[in-house]
Amino acid sequence: MSDYIVRAISTDGLVQAAAICSRELTERARQIHHASPVATAALGRALAGASMMGNALKGQGASLTLQIKGGGPLGTVLAVSDAEGNVRGYVANPQVDLPLRDDGKLDVGGAVGGEGTITVIKDLHMKEPYVGTVDLMGGEIAEDIAGYFVESEQIPTACALGVLVDRDHSVKAAGGYLIQLMPGAGEDTIAKVEGGIMAAGPVSAILDRDPDPEHLLRTVMSDFELKILETCPVSYKCYCSRQRVERALLSLGADELEGILREQGSCHMTCQFCDAVYDFDRQQLEQLAQDKLALEARREQFSREGRQLNEALLDATQAESCLQRKLESSAMEEKQLLDKLWENYELSHSAALEQRVELESVSKATRRIAELNREIKALGPPNIGAIEEFERVNGRYTYLSEQRGDVEKAKEELNGVIEQLTRQMTEIFGQQFKLLNESFQE
């Protein structure tokens, strides 16, 4: 039966779970790395866990890396999964072997070591990958993955992984499950999950009897009604290629490639994940060295052009800043001129434009302005209170003019009275003179 993952959720929506049968991919890893039984068990557990975690990403081109450094004799245990759950991996020292534990089982925890860290790297093709690192809980891998989810992602998780190695060191059974509580799960749900795990027993034994991951899930979660969400085939899959190896060699640099040519004349590159060997003879290495030199020349050219563009951009930015300052200065000067136009002549900008006269010659206008300024200067300093003084004098003048009219009218009336009195006095005097003259004649 081919390896595959089953994903399910409880019908009450409180528990989600995944299970995997990974016997074939674990056996493939054992054959590639010529691993000892304990190394096979450690690597198989890591591959199964990484496969279920990677399969949960569901992002196009996404990947998950599971790295365990426990300080044990196996060294680093590393597994990489794509978004479908296909995996590849290795252990640093696959030939390490340890005595069985007292219970007769492989000492995976002792081989991995418990004094170290487990790191999960999720590459979702965003700006930066997500990286989470927590301390190991013993090096048995399943408990360490569960601890990672609880501590780093705050998801209550139960994980069990197992690899059953046969007498001929081949893989007889391998796989595991990952059970996680959803928000809202209470103590009764937790108790049912724990009870199912305790009743089910070791994963490797269940898979040895029946390698169906759905059967594994239903056995462990016997107290739940499950809804199967999907079934996804998985395999041991390495993405190495000659082109990728060539890119890796090019990344060494021209000097290092020249050193390989001088010392070895050829090279053999072995993939860490699948043990594929890529041979490069002298001619191919020389071509790679030439390509590297050409790439470095192009990079230098691009770098030089980039610096020139940056300098041009800096100059343009400075020029823009200078123009902006000039614009602000011009705007301030314009405002001052408009304010002065209103203060001195009570003219708005639009009104001043209506009275604008086109100049025939700027030089003539400049000379005329100088002449007017001299004439204005000859007039002396302006009388700031002239308007108030004019209003005061004009009021006084109006008052006196009215008084003068009244006086002249009174004078005319007085002259009329005098003329009338003169006529009356003349008549009276004439009459009296006549009487006196008659009296003297008698």
Side-chain angles (χ1 to χ4, degrees):
M1 179 181 292
S2 299
D3 298 336
Y4 63 98
I5 292 174
V6 172
R7 290 200 169 275
I9 189 170
S10 61
T11 54
D12 59 9
L14 296 178
V15 182
Q16 65 176 2
I20 183 174
C21 172
S22 56
R23 191 200 70 79
E24 291 188 5
L25 68 86
T26 305
E27 173 63 16
R28 174 64 179 148
R30 183 193 71 83
Q31 294 172 0
I32 290 172
H33 300 294
H34 308 287
S36 67
V38 71
T40 300
L43 181 56
R45 293 182 186 184
L47 290 172
S51 180
M52 289 187 289
M53 295 169 71
N55 178 262
L57 297 178
K58 300 304 181 185
Q60 184 66 32
S63 66
L64 180 139
T65 300
L66 179 66
Q67 183 185 71
I68 301 170
K69 293 183 177 181
L74 283 180
T76 299
V77 180
L78 186 137
V80 181
S81 172
D82 60 20
E84 295 178 354
N86 299 308
V87 286
R88 59 194 185 276
Y90 67 86
V91 293
N93 304 304
Q95 280 75 46
V96 167
D97 203 0
L98 294 180
L100 297 176
R101 297 187 320 197
D102 293 339
D103 59 3
K105 294 184 178 181
L106 295 170
D107 190 6
V108 174
V112 172
E115 300 295 328
T117 59
I118 177 173
T119 298
V120 175
I121 303 171
K122 296 180 181 180
D123 186 356
L124 305 177
H125 291 291
M126 301 177 69
K127 188 174 182 180
E128 295 290 341
Y130 166 81
V131 180
T133 300
V134 300
D135 292 334
L136 292 175
M137 299 184 67
E140 293 290 338
I141 300 180
E143 293 84 352
D144 302 314
I145 291 176
Y148 158 79
F149 275 109
V150 172
E151 186 172 342
S152 184
E153 300 189 14
Q154 290 76 52
I155 302 176
T157 301
C159 180
L161 301 168
V163 175
L164 183 61
V165 179
D166 212 342
R167 293 180 181 276
D168 61 356
H169 293 182
S170 64
V171 178
K172 189 176 182 182
Y177 59 78
L178 198 63
I179 300 174
Q180 296 179 319
L181 300 182
M182 303 292 283
E187 293 296 330
D188 56 337
T189 302
I190 297 173
K192 287 166 65 177
V193 171
E194 292 177 345
I197 293 172
M198 294 296 293
V203 170
S204 56
I206 300 174
L207 290 172
D208 186 30
R209 292 193 299 269
D210 186 346
D212 181 7
E214 181 178 343
H215 173 263
L216 172 61
L217 271 186
R218 294 191 182 281
T219 300
V220 176
M221 300 183 66
S222 57
D223 292 333
F224 295 88
E225 291 186 12
L226 296 179
K227 177 182 178 181
I228 302 302
L229 300 177
E230 66 173 341
T231 299
C232 183
V234 295
S235 63
Y236 190 96
K237 188 174 183 180
C238 183
Y239 290 93
C240 71
S241 65
R242 189 172 185 84
Q243 290 74 20
R244 290 194 174 193
V245 176
E246 287 179 355
R247 288 199 295 270
L249 286 172
L250 287 173
S251 68
L252 295 176
D255 292 340
E256 293 185 53
L257 286 174
E258 291 291 342
I260 294 173
L261 279 169
R262 286 193 307 269
E263 297 172 7
Q264 303 176 19
S266 63
C267 72
H268 308 280
M269 302 291 290
T270 302
C271 175
Q272 280 184 304
F273 294 110
C274 66
D275 267 0
V277 178
Y278 298 92
D279 296 321
F280 293 86
D281 57 23
R282 174 176 290 275
Q283 183 179 357
Q284 291 170 331
L285 287 176
E286 289 175 348
Q287 183 61 49
L288 285 174
Q290 292 176 4
D291 293 343
K292 181 63 178 181
L293 290 174
L295 287 173
E296 290 182 350
R298 289 182 61 190
R299 183 179 64 181
E300 180 60 29
Q301 179 184 356
F302 290 151
S303 178
R304 184 167 57 253
E305 292 176 354
R307 289 194 298 270
Q308 293 173 352
L309 289 174
N310 286 335
E311 292 174 359
L313 178 61
L314 180 60
D315 292 341
T317 303
Q318 292 175 345
E320 179 189 13
S321 178
C322 182
L323 289 174
Q324 183 65 29
R325 289 195 299 269
K326 288 183 178 180
L327 179 62
E328 293 173 355
S329 177
S330 299
M332 185 177 295
E333 184 177 354
E334 179 185 15
K335 184 178 183 304
Q336 293 173 349
L337 289 173
L338 292 176
D339 293 342
K340 188 175 181 181
L341 186 67
W342 177 257
E343 291 174 0
N344 294 345
Y345 307 105
E346 294 188 356
L347 286 175
S348 64
H349 185 222
S350 58
L353 288 176
E354 292 176 358
Q355 301 184 25
R356 178 183 177 187
V357 178
E358 295 292 337
L359 298 176
E360 297 180 0
S361 171
V362 176
S363 59
K364 289 182 180 180
T366 303
R367 288 196 297 271
R368 180 55 180 159
I369 290 173
E371 293 174 358
L372 291 174
N373 284 334
R374 285 195 295 272
E375 293 177 4
I376 291 173
K377 187 176 182 179
L379 292 175
N383 185 359
I384 298 177
I387 295 176
E388 291 80 0
E389 185 176 346
F390 170 77
E391 291 177 353
R392 186 174 63 255
V393 171
N394 185 54
R396 181 65 178 170
Y397 172 77
T398 301
Y399 172 76
L400 291 177
S401 295
E402 293 175 353
Q403 293 295 317
R404 179 181 176 183
D406 293 340
V407 171
E408 289 180 350
K409 183 176 179 181
K411 178 181 176 182
E412 290 177 359
E413 293 176 354
L414 183 59
N415 286 336
V417 171
I418 292 173
E419 288 179 359
Q420 183 178 2
L421 289 174
T422 301
R423 286 195 302 271
Q424 291 177 355
M425 288 177 62
T426 301
E427 290 177 0
I428 293 173
F429 181 75
Q431 292 175 0
Q432 293 298 324
F433 184 76
K434 183 178 179 179
L435 289 176
L436 287 174
N437 189 30
E438 288 178 356
S439 297
F440 279 117
Q441 289 179 0
E442 293 179 0

